[in-house]
Amino acid sequence: MLNRIDWTGTQPPKATEKGIWGWMFFDWAAQPFFTVVTTFIFGPYFVSRLTDDPVSAQTTWSNMATISSVIIALLSPVLGSIADQSGARKPWIGFFAVIKIASLFCLWFAAPGSPVLYPVIFMILASISAEFSIVFNDSMMPRLVGKHEVGRLSNTAWGLGYLGGIIVLIAVVTLLAASPESGKTVLGLDPLFGLDPETGQDARITGPISAAWYLIFILPMFFFTPDVGKGLPFGTAVRSGLRELKNTLGELRERRGILTFLIARMIYQDGVNGLLILGGIFAAGMFGWATIEIGIYGIILNVVAIFGCLIAGRVDKSVGSKVTVVISLTMLLLATIGIISTGPGYTLFGLMPLPVADSGGLFGTAAEKAYILYGLLIGLAFGPVQASSRSYLARSVNIEEAGRYFGIYALSGRATSFMATLLFSLVTYMSGSPRLGMATLILFLAGGLVLLIRTPYPADRA
């Protein structure tokens, strides 16, 4: 059980156990959007089935992520600073929840052959609303537990999020997603609600499902988690927040450790974001995986991710957030190299030939099995690298400045994240090879790791 200990160790915090669990349930509510919409179901459907040109569709999906990242990068620090001055975070989360939920419901209309512009617009709106909400939710974390517990809290919440994501993913794969050939789900059942896989309804339904899940499960946070009292009026808060943001950006020149951490995180998070956004569609393009294969692959990764976060929570508490992130980044590097080195009949760039025969059933070739093995490393690492980065910053700033620093933290995760997806798009377009596009992610993961190793821990330490 997480101990509710104040930062100073002298005053008990305001959060009850219900408040802490309410805050963690935000991750449970938010994760299905990233799991079934962005990564494993709707994203691959967009690439492989919405149009007749998978390579062009991959580029379009990458461009959608790029546009979202630029908007998030520009506005997150501003909103975080304004939140510090206006006080309460929940009204902001509620405002963006309305936009996110409405946009996700609209994905239902993205039928094969329909214009791609509309689902792209709805994905941009849903993505930026989701990320802005995360800024405000993350900035609430330092008030809930003591610094020595914040890494465990962050990883536990992240693991809870993956559990929510996998429950929705399993439901989609077993009850909704049917094979276009047989019309049956992986359990041999007719899809619920009479969904037609030929028209992509099994993938399109993930938007409304994620919206409804989010609506229901953010309620505990609103009901039980304590929020900051009302601060300045909105107009005054905007002006004051912009001034504070300017001061904070100037202050970073004196707080070199935090600045170094944010730059390192900016670089490696580009690689992490690219891996999460593009990994599913890369597999769909290389192996021709349909919704069922992609969904089961996602289930495997998310099951492993839950255990990864639980283990990382203990590692973070024992040896600190920095060591946890370094270990996770190393695992992601190895996994990315493995993925791009694998193709039909080989892995490790041909150094290890593999049988090309298909044994039938799911993941019937040896190359597909190798891809899944590398995916297990991703599953173990991509949760802890993000959860412990969050706790790294929480241990390095004061409560009063949490909003603006988590806004800048979101900026560091998005400011150049368009570079990873943009570089993927450019290399894929020029070479015609998504494999070479995926290889560019190594530059971001390795560069961020090298810089992080030189960063003090906590980051505000001289």
Side-chain angles (χ1 to χ4, degrees):
M1 191 66 66
L2 293 167
N3 297 321
R4 300 185 301 278
I5 301 175
D6 185 64
W7 295 98
T8 62
T10 59
Q11 296 293 331
K14 298 178 181 178
T16 62
E17 286 296 333
K18 285 184 178 180
I20 292 173
W21 279 99
W23 181 85
M24 290 196 296
F25 257 85
F26 177 90
D27 282 356
W28 165 281
Q31 185 59 36
F33 164 66
F34 300 103
T35 301
V36 298
V37 176
T38 302
T39 307
F40 293 114
I41 304 296
F42 187 83
Y45 160 77
F46 183 97
V47 169
S48 61
R49 298 164 62 192
L50 186 60
T51 72
D52 295 326
D53 187 355
V55 173
S56 176
Q58 286 191 49
T59 303
T60 301
W61 186 261
S62 179
N63 290 338
M64 175 278 298
T66 300
I67 294 171
S68 302
S69 296
V70 171
I71 296 173
I72 292 164
L74 291 175
L75 295 183
S76 290
V78 176
L79 293 174
S81 294
I82 293 173
D84 276 342
Q85 304 303 310
S86 63
R89 270 63 166 170
K90 292 180 184 179
W92 292 95
I93 296 174
F95 171 75
F96 288 114
V98 172
I99 299 175
K100 177 181 176 180
I101 290 169
S103 299
L104 289 177
F105 269 108
C106 290
L107 294 181
W108 170 255
F109 301 103
S114 63
V116 300
L117 175 63
Y118 299 112
V120 166
I121 291 174
F122 295 136
M123 279 299 302
I124 290 173
L125 290 174
S127 297
I128 62 176
S129 299
E131 293 290 344
F132 289 158
S133 298
I134 289 171
V135 170
F136 296 113
N137 184 69
D138 285 354
S139 69
M140 297 169 72
M141 179 173 60
R143 297 179 180 272
L144 303 180
V145 297
K147 283 191 175 183
H148 71 291
E149 289 278 8
V150 75
R152 189 173 167 194
L153 171 66
S154 185
N155 274 280
T156 302
W158 218 281
L160 189 64
Y162 286 133
L163 180 59
I166 196 173
I167 288 174
V168 175
L169 184 57
I170 289 174
V172 171
V173 171
T174 59
L175 302 176
L176 301 177
S179 168
E181 291 78 21
S182 67
K184 302 291 186 179
T185 71
V186 71
L187 297 180
L189 305 174
D190 292 327
L192 294 182
F193 314 121
L195 297 176
D196 181 7
E198 290 289 343
T199 59
Q201 291 182 346
D202 54 346
R204 291 152 50 195
I205 194 66
T206 58
I209 288 175
S210 299
W213 184 276
Y214 187 66
L215 174 62
I216 293 170
F217 289 112
I218 58 172
L219 295 179
M221 183 272 296
F222 281 102
F223 289 150
F224 302 121
T225 304
D227 199 359
V228 182
K230 187 175 181 180
L232 299 175
F234 180 76
T236 306
V238 171
R239 293 189 294 271
S240 179
L242 292 175
R243 286 195 301 270
E244 285 298 319
L245 175 60
K246 180 180 178 181
N247 294 337
T248 302
L249 293 174
E251 180 183 286
L252 281 174
R253 291 178 293 183
E254 305 298 326
R255 305 178 74 171
R256 298 301 295 272
I258 294 179
L259 178 61
T260 304
F261 165 71
L262 290 172
I263 294 174
R265 195 249 176 182
M266 177 177 67
I267 297 171
Y268 69 68
Q269 191 64 42
D270 287 359
V272 174
N273 289 341
L275 194 57
L276 296 179
I277 293 169
L278 303 170
I281 65 173
F282 178 69
M286 180 164 60
F287 297 117
W289 286 354
T291 299
I292 290 178
E293 287 88 352
I294 288 289
I296 293 177
Y297 175 68
I299 291 171
I300 294 171
L301 262 62
N302 279 270
V303 168
V304 174
I306 294 170
F307 289 102
C309 286
L310 293 177
I311 295 170
R314 295 183 178 275
V315 173
D316 191 302
K317 185 176 181 180
S318 176
V319 298
S321 301
K322 179 177 178 177
V323 174
T324 308
V325 175
V326 168
I327 293 172
S328 300
L329 284 174
T330 302
M331 294 170 65
L332 288 175
L333 264 173
L334 294 174
T336 305
I337 293 171
I339 282 174
I340 64 173
S341 71
T342 301
Y346 65 89
T347 189
L348 298 179
F349 302 104
L351 296 176
M352 183 181 293
L354 298 172
V356 296
D358 191 333
S359 62
L362 296 172
F363 315 123
T365 67
E368 290 173 282
K369 292 180 175 64
Y371 194 97
I372 291 175
L373 287 176
Y374 296 128
L376 296 180
L377 281 178
I378 297 175
L380 285 172
F382 74 79
V385 76
Q386 297 175 91
S388 288
S389 294
R390 181 167 66 175
S391 61
Y392 198 137
L393 179 65
R395 285 186 169 111
S396 305
V397 299
N398 298 320
I399 295 175
E400 293 76 14
E401 58 190 10
R404 58 184 181 271
Y405 271 100
F406 271 105
I408 297 174
Y409 176 79
L411 166 64
S412 74
R414 291 291 185 172
T416 59
S417 63
F418 67 91
M419 290 299 297
T421 51
L422 178 60
L423 195 56
F424 170 88
S425 298
L426 291 175
V427 173
T428 300
Y429 176 77
M430 291 186 295
S431 66
S433 171
R435 188 184 309 279
L436 291 179
M438 287 292 290
T440 61
L441 301 180
I442 294 175
L443 301 175
F444 297 95
L445 295 171
L449 174 60
V450 170
L451 188 57
L452 183 71
I453 291 173
R454 304 180 60 185
T455 304
Y457 177 75
D460 59 346
R461 194 184 70 189

